[in-house]
Amino acid sequence: MSKRLRSSEVCADCSGPDPSWASVNRGTFICDECCSVHRSLGRHISQVRHLKHTPWPPTLLQMVETLYNNGANSIWEHSLLDPASIMSGRRKANPQDKVHPNKAEFIRAKYQMLAFVHRLPCRDDDSVTAKDLSKQLHSSVRTGNLETCLRLLSLGAQANFFHPEKGNTPLHVASKAGQILQAELLAVYGADPGTQDSSGKTPVDYARQGGHHELAERLVEIQYELTDRLAFYLCGRKPDHKNGQHFIIPQMADSSLDLSELAKAAKKKLQSLSNHLFEELAMDVYDEVDRRETDAVWLATQNHSTLVTETTVVPFLPVNPEYSSTRNQGRQKLARFNAHEFATLVIDILSDAKRRQQGSPLSGSKDNVELILKTISNQHSVESQDNDQPDYDSVASDEDTDLEATASKANRQKSLDSDLSDGPVTVQEFMEVKNALVASEAKIQQLMKIGRSVLVTSSSSLPSFPSTLSWSRDESTRRASRLEKQNSTPESDYDNTPNDTDPDDTGSSRKGRQRSMVWQGDGSVPDTAEPHTAPSPILPSTEDVIRKTEQITKNIQELLRAAQENKHDSYIPCSERIHVAVTEMAALFPKKPKSDTVRTSLRLLTSSAYRLQSECKKTLPGDPGPPTDIQLVTQQVIQCAYDIAKAAKQLVTITTKENNN
């Protein structure tokens, strides 16, 4: 750290003493317990770093410290500072509160729902408001007032806003003024150092012209943040950008795998990805690297004698609602890669990132694939010879005991198909769902009965429903397109269809994502491979599953009573409690259950819980987009609750049967 944390500093969320973590994009310091909740929200909500055990670029840490010391937390708790909030019973968490549900509910409301942020007066044209905010940001970054810029970003100002009159972006302005901390803040919120102004100059150019050499060097680092982080994860080194080295391509100790036909095919598929999809994949792998590294720091810094299940590691990347459901599923599958498989993927991405940036063309002939791979292999060798330090020869094998690297990449896609396919939805099944949704009151009563009888394992099985639905932003097309999409679109690791590409790919929507990578070429979209891990026959005890099922059932009944009584403001807290209970239940089972039925039930359980949260959020007042149809939302909430209850019942039945055998 650049300086010693003062003992008076407290957690921004619960006021606990001696916070040891920081939320970089929120400008706050947080304690271990609150950090565990931040991590479960995902990096698109909060980017956490340990203050002492994580490497920090000095100016990035200085930026967070400056924001914290200048009251950045008041931005996220604005309305709580109003005396009227005390009268209404709203308060922030305190150190004695339980992590779940007390601290978790407060933190989600604070950062995910932005429930306490100061709201601007409503205007007819939201785009004008966003443009005005971005113009204010454009002029504010020339000063050192970080908290003003963070407030503007929290209200919707765009870090990559291109000023139509000035012909440049806020990062150009900050770079010209030598405001390195403002540049750090803008970069965290997605500003691209490679963006050119109307004169064709980048922020790096302006920093150099102004004699701000430290800022210029830092902007170059930010521009290569993604590939630098991937290389450092594998070999603990970063490229020497000052001397023109912008990529390090580590080598595996066992390079014989690179010569296999399967490895060649996998690389060819990666190289054939369009630039946009390759960037998405690289960003997702970056997030997985961050998750794994933060997990390692988390485990190393915890007091394991007092560690409780409430604050465990995050087992896979949390859902980002801005991404398609297919992409979110692909992101979560990255956690299944063991150390060797994941390292191979990272190396392939680094190799192709270098190729794309340098504009190296790909041959269209299949016969030349061997030549391409040899060229890349030679690049590996040249790269390693240029460095004095030894090549990367192994990856930390903490996960090797859980995930084995024995199956070939060819079997991975086959495993994916058998593991994730619920089969086509028949017209009869679809009509059953539709009829059930129309009869909301009858569905509530039916679910209440399911909740009471979910532990009766001898009951007949419920009708089959699709476990993965397609969630478009247009409510009017959602129900009509669901059956068609499920029957026509197979699941894959990443969503390669234009219809599922998120149109909002700018500024703060990416919340400090990696800088965009500018490639010279483009290509077609192939299928992607899925890792195969050894299945585990071990199931949890029936008693543990029943206990968690009782908790889920209790929360579902509470949600259904709220639906019955039209208490829509209770949807979100109920869904959060259900999500916590579902997460705890899913954690009882192995990552790769041997039983197909267990995998199907677990997938239905967790995906339904995520969908339930997404639907319940639509009841928030002031939610952007078309007016909310409360009746439709209620029907969707009921459907999700139905699927959760069904999956929980199936898991009780399965574990009871297996444990009695």
Side-chain angles (χ1 to χ4, degrees):
M1 293 183 59
S2 63
K3 66 182 181 63
R4 187 79 174 172
L5 282 176
R6 298 189 301 272
S7 59
S8 60
E9 290 175 335
V10 297
C11 173
D13 297 333
C14 72
S15 302
D18 302 323
S20 54
W21 296 82
S23 175
V24 178
N25 57 322
R26 304 297 180 172
T28 58
F29 295 148
I30 52 179
C31 68
D32 282 2
E33 288 192 344
C34 291
C35 176
S36 70
V37 181
H38 277 249
R39 293 201 61 216
S40 70
L41 299 178
R43 291 189 72 254
H44 59 287
I45 301 295
S46 180
Q47 302 166 31
V48 298
R49 280 176 177 254
H50 197 277
L51 289 168
K52 297 180 180 178
H53 295 280
T54 302
W56 283 84
T59 51
L60 180 62
L61 178 57
Q62 187 181 350
M63 182 270 289
V64 178
E65 289 175 335
T66 302
L67 284 172
Y68 178 88
N69 293 329
N70 286 278
N73 196 42
S74 64
I75 294 174
W76 315 112
E77 296 183 357
H78 176 84
S79 63
L80 291 180
L81 302 176
D82 187 345
S85 67
I86 301 176
M87 301 298 294
S88 66
R90 293 200 302 180
R91 67 168 183 85
K92 70 181 296 177
N94 62 58
Q96 290 74 37
D97 283 338
K98 292 182 178 180
V99 177
H100 299 289
N102 306 76
K103 289 184 179 180
E105 287 184 357
F106 172 74
I107 290 170
R108 288 191 175 98
K110 178 178 176 180
Y111 298 110
Q112 193 171 37
M113 310 301 180
L114 300 178
F116 315 121
V117 172
H118 174 64
R119 301 290 181 182
L120 293 176
C122 293
R123 296 177 56 168
D124 294 335
D125 189 349
D126 290 338
S127 62
V128 174
T129 302
K131 186 176 181 180
D132 290 344
L133 289 168
S134 298
K135 285 186 175 181
Q136 292 181 45
L137 177 67
H138 190 277
S139 62
S140 297
V141 293
R142 70 181 73 251
T143 73
N145 197 334
L146 286 177
E147 58 273 20
T148 296
C149 293
L150 180 61
R151 190 181 302 277
L152 291 168
L153 289 165
S154 74
L155 293 172
Q158 298 294 302
N160 271 321
F161 172 74
F162 192 89
H163 200 295
E165 290 84 22
K166 307 290 186 181
N168 57 14
T169 69
L171 191 55
H172 285 94
V173 176
S175 300
K176 189 174 183 179
Q179 293 290 347
I180 192 168
L181 300 188
Q182 293 283 22
E184 290 282 6
L185 178 60
L186 290 169
V188 164
Y189 275 81
D192 186 354
T195 300
Q196 295 182 346
D197 66 1
S198 56
S199 302
K201 294 182 179 179
T202 67
V204 179
D205 294 330
Y206 281 106
R208 287 174 177 159
Q209 288 177 8
H212 310 300
H213 301 298
E214 181 186 6
L215 172 56
E217 292 173 2
R218 177 64 184 136
L219 287 173
V220 172
E221 290 179 358
I222 290 171
Q223 194 165 5
Y224 289 94
E225 175 191 353
L226 190 153
T227 50
D228 283 5
R229 179 76 177 273
L230 298 188
F232 189 82
Y233 171 74
L234 292 183
C235 63
R237 288 179 288 144
K238 291 184 178 180
D240 185 2
H241 296 292
K242 292 181 182 179
N243 293 322
Q245 182 196 34
H246 298 309
F247 292 91
I248 289 180
I249 313 295
Q251 282 187 292
M252 299 292 289
D254 182 8
S255 59
S256 62
L257 292 178
D258 290 340
L259 302 177
S260 70
E261 293 300 321
L262 295 169
K264 294 175 185 178
K267 284 188 177 183
K268 183 183 176 184
K269 288 181 179 180
L270 185 68
Q271 291 170 342
S272 299
L273 282 173
S274 67
N275 289 334
H276 173 72
L277 289 169
F278 178 79
E279 181 179 340
E280 285 189 348
L281 174 59
M283 291 164 62
D284 294 342
V285 170
Y286 178 102
D287 281 357
E288 176 64 14
V289 164
D290 182 82
R291 185 195 69 81
R292 294 187 182 210
E293 289 187 332
T294 307
D295 267 354
V297 173
W298 176 268
L299 290 171
T301 56
Q302 295 303 298
N303 181 352
H304 292 276
S305 63
T306 60
L307 188 65
V308 293
T309 57
E310 287 185 314
T311 57
T312 54
V313 297
V314 176
F316 47 74
L317 290 175
V319 168
N320 184 340
E322 294 180 358
Y323 297 157
S324 66
S325 59
T326 314
R327 183 177 177 187
N328 276 313
Q329 290 167 6
R331 285 165 56 85
Q332 292 183 352
K333 291 170 196 168
L334 290 172
R336 299 182 187 176
F337 281 61
N338 63 26
H340 189 279
E341 291 172 328
F342 190 62
T344 302
L345 174 61
V346 170
I347 291 172
D348 287 349
I349 287 176
L350 285 170
S351 300
D352 211 48
K354 181 177 181 180
R355 177 190 67 80
R356 290 173 187 248
Q357 202 230 29
Q358 294 177 346
S360 302
L362 275 177
S363 171
S365 171
K366 294 182 180 180
D367 298 334
N368 290 331
V369 172
E370 179 71 26
L371 177 61
I372 295 169
L373 293 168
K374 286 182 178 179
T375 301
I376 294 176
S377 179
N378 291 336
Q379 289 175 352
H380 289 184
S381 301
V382 172
E383 195 77 53
S384 62
Q385 292 170 5
D386 290 343
N387 293 287
D388 295 331
Q389 299 186 38
D391 292 338
Y392 159 74
D393 58 4
S394 65
V395 180
S397 57
D398 297 342
E399 300 160 16
D400 284 351
T401 56
D402 296 328
L403 301 172
E404 298 180 8
T406 56
S408 67
K409 291 184 179 180
N411 289 330
R412 291 175 187 165
Q413 187 63 44
K414 181 178 179 181
S415 172
L416 167 65
D417 295 338
S418 61
D419 187 18
L420 294 180
S421 175
D422 285 327
V425 182
T426 65
V427 174
Q428 180 181 357
E429 289 171 343
F430 179 74
M431 291 307 298
E432 287 175 352
V433 175
K434 182 177 180 181
N435 293 336
L437 292 178
V438 172
S440 297
E441 183 65 21
K443 175 65 71 176
I444 291 173
Q445 297 301 326
Q446 181 184 11
L447 272 170
M448 295 290 279
K449 292 179 182 179
I450 292 173
R452 288 191 293 269
S453 63
V454 71
L455 300 181
V456 182
T457 59
S458 60
S459 299
S460 59
S461 61
L462 298 170
S464 174
F465 285 89
S467 65
T468 305
L469 304 180
S470 176
W471 302 103
S472 65
R473 295 191 178 188
D474 187 351
E475 288 284 355
S476 64
T477 62
R478 174 178 298 166
R479 288 176 292 175
S481 64
R482 182 187 306 159
L483 182 62
E484 179 184 350
K485 285 191 176 183
Q486 286 184 309
N487 282 330
S488 62
T489 307
E491 292 185 346
S492 60
D493 279 3
Y494 292 90
D495 193 351
N496 298 331
T497 57
N499 291 338
D500 284 326
T501 301
D502 188 353
D504 183 10
D505 197 29
T506 60
S508 60
S509 68
R510 291 166 70 163
K511 293 290 188 297
R513 301 305 309 237
Q514 299 72 24
R515 264 22 74 192
S516 63
M517 297 176 281
V518 181
W519 316 120
Q520 300 296 324
D522 208 313
S524 59
V525 181
D527 296 329
T528 53
E530 160 70 4
H532 179 77
T533 56
S536 171
I538 301 174
L539 293 179
S541 68
T542 304
E543 292 77 16
D544 287 343
V545 177
I546 289 176
R547 186 171 66 253
K548 294 301 181 183
T549 302
E550 288 175 334
Q551 187 178 356
I552 293 173
T553 304
K554 177 182 176 182
N555 292 324
I556 286 179
Q557 289 173 334
E558 182 181 353
L559 174 65
L560 296 175
R561 280 192 290 269
Q564 209 167 18
E565 298 167 5
N566 293 322
K567 294 181 178 179
H568 305 128
D569 56 345
S570 298
Y571 282 12
I572 290 177
C574 286
S575 69
E576 297 293 351
R577 285 190 286 272
I578 291 172
H579 183 267
V580 170
V582 164
T583 302
E584 291 175 351
M585 182 169 181
L588 296 175
F589 291 82
K591 294 181 180 178
K592 182 75 172 181
K594 185 176 181 180
S595 167
D596 291 339
T597 310
V598 171
R599 289 199 297 269
T600 301
S601 298
L602 282 172
R603 184 172 61 253
L604 176 60
L605 183 74
T606 55
S607 64
S608 299
Y610 283 125
R611 295 203 314 272
L612 177 64
Q613 283 189 301
S614 176
E615 289 300 316
C616 289
K617 290 172 188 174
K618 295 174 184 175
T619 61
L620 284 174
D623 189 47
T628 301
D629 183 344
I630 291 296
Q631 184 179 3
L632 177 60
V633 170
T634 298
Q635 291 175 352
Q636 298 290 357
V637 165
I638 292 169
Q639 175 64 49
C640 293
Y642 178 85
D643 286 343
I644 293 170
K646 171 193 172 185
K649 176 184 175 182
Q650 288 174 341
L651 289 170
V652 171
T653 304
I654 295 166
T655 53
T656 301
K657 180 180 179 180
E658 292 295 326
N659 290 329
N660 288 338
N661 287 341

